[in-house]
Amino acid sequence: MIKARTAKFQIGQVVRHRIFSFRGVIFDIDPEFNNTEEWWLSIPEEARPHKDQPFYHLLAENAESEYVAYVSEQNLLPDDSGEPVRHSQVAEIFIKDKAGGYRPRNPSLN
């Protein structure tokens, strides 16, 4: 049985990937892996994360594009750059607060 852990990051937090050059804002959290086995097996074995940790849904961006990413907690770090996330869906889900952070438009989500 997989034992879920408490999430280290929260919805609205801006994070970056610890290996690949992309960042994003968290819009959903799975307490443990909740994607397809095919997706998980597509990750090279030497880089494949453990399933027994939180996984985060990000409105992500890199230098070339914007997309949705699904990332394990072990591969995320806080992004303290203060730069806004330019993903086109951010304004649909979040309100930017005075401190530059993101608050969900609908607080009853998650």
Side-chain angles (χ1 to χ4, degrees), residues 75-104:
N75 284 321
L76 290 177
L77 298 168
D79 181 309
D80 299 322
S81 69
E83 294 291 318
V85 176
R86 70 174 191 275
H87 194 287
S88 62
Q89 290 179 286
V90 168
E92 294 173 30
I93 300 172
F94 296 102
I95 297 169
K96 192 159 181 154
D97 63 26
K98 292 178 184 174
Y102 295 95
R103 289 184 299 113

Side-chain angles (χ1 to χ4, degrees), residues 17 22 28-36 39 43 53-58 60 67-72:
H17 198 281
F22 71 86
D28 196 13
I29 304 169
D30 294 336
E32 60 188 37
F33 179 79
N34 190 24
N35 205 330
T36 65
W39 182 91
I43 301 168
Q53 62 182 309
F55 276 72
Y56 299 83
H57 299 261
L58 308 178
Y67 50 95
V68 172
Y70 190 64
V71 186
S72 64

